[in-house]
Amino acid sequence: MNKRVVVYKTLSQPLLERLQQQVDVTQVDLNASDGLARLRDALPDAHGLLGASLPLGSALLDLAPNLQVVSSISVGVDNYDVADLTRRRVMLTHTPDVLTETTADTGFALILASARRVVELANWVRDGHWHKSLGPAHFGTDVQGKTLGIIGMGRIGDALARRAAAGFGMRVLYHSNQRKPDAEARHGARFRSLEALLGEADFVCLTVPLSASTEGLIGARELALMKPEAILVNIARGRVVDEAALIEALRSGRLRGAGLDVFEQEPLPADSPLLQLANVVATPHIGSATHETREAMARCAVENLLEGLAGERPRHWVNPF
Ligand code: DGY
């Protein structure tokens, strides 16, 4: 008997066919009004789950006594209770590496857009305000030659450091729970305590995974340590930053600006005060969202799933047991 898999994210036709050759697939559209109900109906028979962006708590897992593999189409696994999955002997897999460069591009896009006020000034032109040449009121600030502070020097942090050092002649500082001799040697990155990094960097970019130790890492105290002309960029997870404290710092001019791809609540509510602030560039969690990278992530997730269901050790197994 074939294993049964519930897919709750749209897959390309070739990937869907590849999966269907080996397992019985039930597709569920979580955007449909009956999506969650259909997922609940399919869980009792499921051996595998494939998808993303769904917090998979114990209430759903209790419905799936046959579950063997949860294959997430993401690198972040903060939507899952990893300890609970391990207790249940359910493999959790994720999709690192394939999204590293694209996500680092997003970080750099936010650094440049915030520093050079790209979104604000493009909207200003579109709204018909460009009648004479620009004066200082519309100037931005340089990126090249400045200091980038990276909090979390994993794969994405490293890819950002490479762009900053090689492409923009930036000085790179980093804070991480481990020293990274490779990044130090290749990009001239210098390790700093969190406090020292916040005090020295012109751009602070967050790339840490969300965990109990990083939730609320950047709050009012940390924002107060940043230079007033500094810009905060978050491509990690919204809850790494105390959003209310950030809004206050941006409103009061305590910080120059912020480039944010992730938020405490996603989708970002249309009435969020962040959207009232001209010095905020807000993007809808586009970190890895290119055609090529999302396809590569889905392919990696399909491979992880099939390996796990075949009784092999998946390449990107988060909770090995
Ligand atoms: C991830 O993979 O965790 C990203 O946040 C999704 O873009």
Side-chain angles (χ1 to χ4, degrees), residues 239-269:
R239 279 157 50 206
V240 173
V241 176
D242 175 343
E243 210 165 88
L246 176 61
I247 290 165
E248 183 45 37
L250 290 164
R251 256 194 198 136
S252 64
R254 177 62 205 82
L255 279 190
R256 180 190 292 271
L260 306 172
D261 189 42
V262 288
F263 304 88
E264 279 180 359
Q265 189 187 331
E266 293 180 14
L268 182 66

Side-chain angles (χ1 to χ4, degrees), residues 109-136:
L110 288 171
I111 290 171
L112 288 166
S114 305
R116 302 299 304 275
R117 302 170 60 180
V118 172
V119 177
E120 177 196 352
L121 294 178
N123 287 337
W124 181 80
V125 173
R126 191 182 297 270
D127 292 344
H129 297 298
W130 190 21
H131 304 304
K132 50 187 176 79
S133 68
L134 292 187

Side-chain angles (χ1 to χ4, degrees), residues 73-78 95 99 103 235-237 262 285-289 294 297:
I73 311 176
S74 67
V75 66
V77 289
D78 44 286
T95 61
L99 49 58
T103 309
I235 54 169
R237 285 294 185 265
V262 288
H285 202 144
I286 60 170
S288 62
R294 284 294 169 85
M297 290 166 70

Side-chain angles (χ1 to χ4, degrees), residues 123-291:
N123 287 337
W124 181 80
V125 173
R126 191 182 297 270
D127 292 344
H129 297 298
W130 190 21
H131 304 304
K132 50 187 176 79
S133 68
L134 292 187
H138 293 106
F139 292 170
T141 189
D142 274 339
V143 172
Q144 48 85 18
K146 294 280 182 68
T147 297
L148 172 63
I150 300 174
I151 299 180
M153 187 57 98
R155 305 171 187 86
I156 296 169
D158 191 274
L160 262 177
R162 170 160 39 82
R163 284 159 175 72
F168 289 81
M170 296 178 89
R171 181 172 162 252
V172 178
L173 308 177
Y174 76 100
H175 178 74
S176 175
N177 47 19
Q178 277 173 304
R179 290 289 286 263
K180 301 287 173 146
D182 273 6
E184 296 186 13
R186 280 186 279 116
H187 316 307
R190 295 285 162 259
F191 181 83
R192 292 286 187 273
S193 67
L194 180 63
E195 289 74 14
L197 180 148
L198 291 169
E200 275 182 68
D202 300 303
F203 298 89
V204 172
C205 188
L206 305 173
T207 68
V208 284
L210 177 64
S211 68
S213 61
T214 61
E215 180 154 12
L217 183 70
I218 304 298
R221 184 189 83 93
E222 290 71 27
L223 293 166
L225 293 173
M226 289 175 68
K227 300 191 212 175
E229 65 274 21
I231 287 174
L232 181 74
V233 169
N234 191 1
I235 54 169
R237 285 294 185 265
R239 279 157 50 206
V240 173
V241 176
D242 175 343
E243 210 165 88
L246 176 61
I247 290 165
E248 183 45 37
L250 290 164
R251 256 194 198 136
S252 64
R254 177 62 205 82
L255 279 190
R256 180 190 292 271
L260 306 172
D261 189 42
V262 288
F263 304 88
E264 279 180 359
Q265 189 187 331
E266 293 180 14
L268 182 66
D271 62 355
S272 165
L274 287 169
L275 298 175
Q276 306 302 320
L277 298 169
N279 54 350
V280 169
V281 176
T283 49
H285 202 144
I286 60 170
S288 62
T290 65
H291 290 292

